[in-house]
Amino acid sequence: MRIFHSETHRRHFPQGELNGGELVTPFERPSRVEYVLNRLKDRGLTDIVAPDAPDRAAIAALCDPGYLEFLETAWDQWVAEGFRGEIIAASFPVRRMQTARPPRNIDGKAGYYCLAAETAITNGTWEAALGSAACAQSATRAVIGGARGAFALCRPPGHHATADMYGGYCFINNAALAAEALRAGGAGRVAVLDIDFHHGNGTQDIFYARDDVFFASLHGAPEDAFPYFLGYADETGSGAGEGATLNLPMAPGTPYATWSQALDTAIAAIRAHGAEALVVSLGVDAYKDDPISFFKLDSPDFTDAGRRIAGLGLPTVFCMEGGYAIEAVGINTVNVLEGFEGA
Ligand code: FKS
Ligand code: ZN
């Protein structure tokens, strides 16, 4: 399987993540990609190429124009206004406040376009997000061109990003770009299967009212896990999209025996929906030793999960999302791909 990887990801490397009231080295760090690349090479998956230039029109079609302008200019405006640290949003338009009036002030604007304060924007964040999106776009092009599968080694990740908000380490929703491109490429119905530990709130939000893109997510229950405010089982879609969202939240300590049943449920629903192509939001933070998650999957379980996903028999774009047990991220990610390929 061809793998798309952009060196540009390195330009996004914040020094701080707000965690438990401290600024810590972000869990989502550049070395994650190195571990995946090394493991890919160890396992003989060496068809690793740089993506084409990002398709800006497709990104503009997915996202709010004010949001994209903010992402592109935020750092310069932040520096021009005299701030010296990284951009960390601190004020948000929450209950009973104005949610349709982006402020002029950059500190206010950051809060307006942000959904969680752990994620910093730095010089280079925009370029990295574009490079990540380009990986998803090129991988999708490979699949439209006839490949059975392709892997976009996206960093930064994307599934928490909505059309107009960043957070949870995400800026542009790569999986949503892939799903839209598959639709434009001729698939009548597409499914996004999100196996990252965290709920893909951004992807769900983007497709919530649509029936042409099915969204299924396996994740830590919102009562207990980020992003906390979406991902309940009773969120099933709205309007024409009623029934095209499937949330499978699970409790702390969930083992593979339970998780794999949820995976089979999601797979059956994707089949029933009549999807002709698949996007997998491939996070490996369901791993037992992940430092910020609470499921109990072991490394061989990821191979089995890849095998089950392959059972759908659909052309599949894998987009990298989370996974923070640094050494195991490479093993677990490549296990999914090998399981899919039948290795
Ligand atoms: C420690 C708590 C961090 C944010 C968790 C974000 C998870 C991101 C992810 C992605 F795939 F997007 F990378 N809370 N400060 O793993 O879902
Ligand atoms: Zn995650």
Side-chain angles (χ1 to χ4, degrees):
M1 135 163 21
R2 181 159 285 178
I3 295 132
F4 295 87
H5 158 64
S6 168
E7 285 290 328
T8 316
H9 81 86
R10 294 173 184 291
R11 297 211 47 205
H12 174 66
F13 57 103
Q15 298 305 294
E17 167 178 336
L18 198 51
N19 183 51
E22 293 179 290
L23 276 178
V24 303
T25 300
F27 292 94
E28 200 295 288
R29 55 189 74 165
S31 60
R32 296 176 59 247
V33 168
E34 301 313 316
Y35 281 97
V36 176
L37 284 173
N38 287 338
R39 180 68 179 178
L40 285 165
K41 289 170 191 160
D42 283 354
R43 301 294 295 174
L45 288 157
T46 52
D47 186 8
I48 304 170
V49 300
D52 297 334
D55 175 354
R56 293 285 294 258
I59 296 168
L62 183 76
C63 298
D64 172 79
Y67 174 58
L68 288 180
E69 197 199 334
F70 161 76
L71 282 182
E72 192 162 3
T73 59
W75 181 254
D76 289 344
Q77 196 183 338
W78 182 259
V79 170
E81 290 193 21
F83 293 116
R84 290 201 301 274
E86 301 179 333
I87 304 177
I88 295 181
S91 304
F92 303 93
V94 297
R95 285 184 289 285
R96 294 179 297 286
M97 295 177 102
Q98 301 278 353
T99 57
R101 293 180 166 180
R104 235 185 327 263
N105 176 281
I106 188 61
D107 178 53
K109 217 186 272 183
Y112 182 82
Y113 288 118
C114 182
L115 62 84
E118 82 289 301
T119 301
I121 293 176
T122 63
N123 191 13
T125 295
W126 167 245
E127 288 75 13
L130 274 182
S132 185
C135 289
Q137 291 175 325
S138 284
T140 307
R141 235 169 264 135
V143 165
I144 291 170
R148 173 171 171 250
F151 176 43
L153 182 38
C154 297
R155 179 181 179 274
H159 72 151
H160 297 303
T162 68
D164 57 1
M165 286 182 282
Y166 73 96
Y169 317 148
C170 302
F171 302 93
I172 296 173
N173 195 311
N174 305 307
L177 280 176
E180 290 283 35
L182 288 168
R183 284 281 293 111
R189 290 182 154 214
V190 171
V192 180
L193 171 61
D194 190 326
I195 63 169
D196 185 276
F197 167 81
H198 300 94
H199 178 247
N201 62 285
T203 317
Q204 170 171 314
D205 182 60
I206 288 167
F207 298 117
Y208 204 60
R210 288 169 51 173
D211 68 347
D212 59 330
V213 181
F214 189 85
F215 175 72
S217 178
L218 281 62
H219 53 270
E223 294 93 331
D224 303 305
F226 184 89
Y228 301 117
F229 311 114
L230 211 64
Y232 286 89
D234 60 7
E235 298 158 15
T236 55
S238 67
E242 184 57 62
T245 291
L246 175 65
N247 281 307
L248 299 162
M250 286 168 276
T254 293
Y256 188 64
T258 309
W259 193 92
S260 59
Q261 282 176 16
L263 179 61
D264 287 345
T265 300
I267 285 170
I270 288 167
R271 199 177 277 124
H273 187 258
E276 295 162 23
L278 179 68
V279 179
V280 176
S281 266
L282 176 51
V284 292
D285 39 9
Y287 181 58
K288 60 181 175 52
D289 295 329
D290 194 273
I292 64 169
S293 308
F294 57 58
F295 289 165
K296 297 291 164 220
L297 272 62
D298 208 342
S299 292
D301 299 332
F302 287 95
T303 314
D304 186 68
R307 223 177 272 133
R308 292 182 196 227
I309 293 167
L312 273 167
L314 295 175
T316 302
V317 180
F318 291 90
C319 293
M320 188 77 213
E321 303 283 2
Y324 310 97
I326 290 288
E327 264 105 88
V329 169
I331 293 168
N332 295 339
T333 302
V334 176
N335 279 1
V336 173
L337 302 178
E338 290 188 326
F340 178 85
E341 288 204 308

